[in-house]
Amino acid sequence: MCDFIDISKYNDIYEKIEHVDQIFNDLKKYDIKHVAIEDIMSKFCFGGSRISTIITLAKFNMLVTYKCYCIFDIKPEHINVIHARKLALKEKIPKNVKAKDFAFDNIISKFNLEKFFNKTKNKYVNQTADVTDSIVISLAFIEEFYDRFNQKSS
């Protein structure tokens, strides 16, 4: 399953995190053993977001991390997105190509994300970039942490 949690219709961070809480509680029926979250610190790189956006994302990231800990009894792994792209894509990003765009195209070519394609507008919906980022984080988690966690459970 590949999807995203739409929080755009909620007015403030409290409503948004309550919605995430409901979704996470619905997901408790699955045997979730690991959670990986994009590390917010990677947003501080040159050319990133405005400081107010970074602060808002950091608050939300922290709250989602805490909800994962409370609901699933899991301490999420935070992965730097630049490092994650190197691990997940397993190929050098060409010069003069934005890493995020390269990752987007790479993931789109490997995974069936047609449900995020708007045929009327002939383009992917805005949330597709977030979905491809989450796939990159997931693949990087598997590359970096999977063996370590499997050794613990053996």
Side-chain angles (χ1 to χ4, degrees):
M1 178 176 100
C2 188
D3 215 336
F4 64 94
I5 299 173
D6 186 5
I7 56 171
S8 63
K9 61 186 172 193
Y10 298 98
N11 296 321
D12 59 35
I13 198 164
Y14 302 103
E15 290 179 6
K16 291 175 185 200
I17 204 65
E18 282 301 316
H19 180 64
V20 169
D21 184 85
Q22 291 171 354
I23 300 289
F24 283 4
N25 274 298
D26 289 344
L27 292 173
K28 278 175 57 173
K29 63 187 170 199
Y30 301 102
D31 188 22
I32 296 173
K33 296 200 182 305
H34 310 290
V35 175
I37 296 175
E38 181 180 336
D39 186 358
I40 194 66
M41 296 309 288
S42 64
K43 299 289 186 192
F44 285 98
C45 296
F46 176 74
S49 304
R50 293 185 346 222
I51 192 70
S52 61
T53 303
I54 293 167
I55 291 169
T56 300
L57 288 171
K59 287 181 199 174
F60 192 72
N61 231 23
M62 187 276 308
L63 290 169
V64 168
T65 297
Y66 185 68
K67 287 293 180 181
C68 287
Y69 179 70
C70 292
I71 294 169
F72 303 119
D73 195 27
I74 294 172
K75 292 179 182 177
E77 293 289 339
H78 291 85
I79 302 175
N80 176 289
V81 72
I82 296 167
H83 180 63
R85 287 180 186 134
K86 289 177 186 173
L87 287 172
L89 301 178
K90 296 182 180 178
E91 56 186 287
K92 191 171 172 78
I93 298 169
K95 289 185 178 188
N96 301 324
V97 175
K98 288 185 177 179
K100 187 171 182 96
D101 294 340
F102 182 78
F104 181 90
D105 292 340
N106 190 292
I107 296 300
I108 290 293
S109 72
K110 293 179 180 170
F111 293 86
N112 180 3
L113 300 178
E114 284 190 30
K115 77 179 197 174
F116 299 106
F117 190 78
N118 183 328
K119 290 179 181 165
T120 307
K121 295 182 179 180
N122 199 34
K123 68 177 192 171
Y124 285 94
V125 299
N126 293 339
Q127 296 87 349
T128 312
D130 293 331
V131 172
T132 58
D133 283 349
S134 69
I135 292 170
V136 165
I137 295 296
S138 299
L139 292 171
F141 173 84
I142 291 167
E143 286 294 316
E144 188 158 295
F145 297 107
Y146 191 74
D147 287 339
R148 184 177 82 192
F149 284 114
N150 270 346
Q151 289 171 358
K152 280 184 184 178
S153 61
S154 300

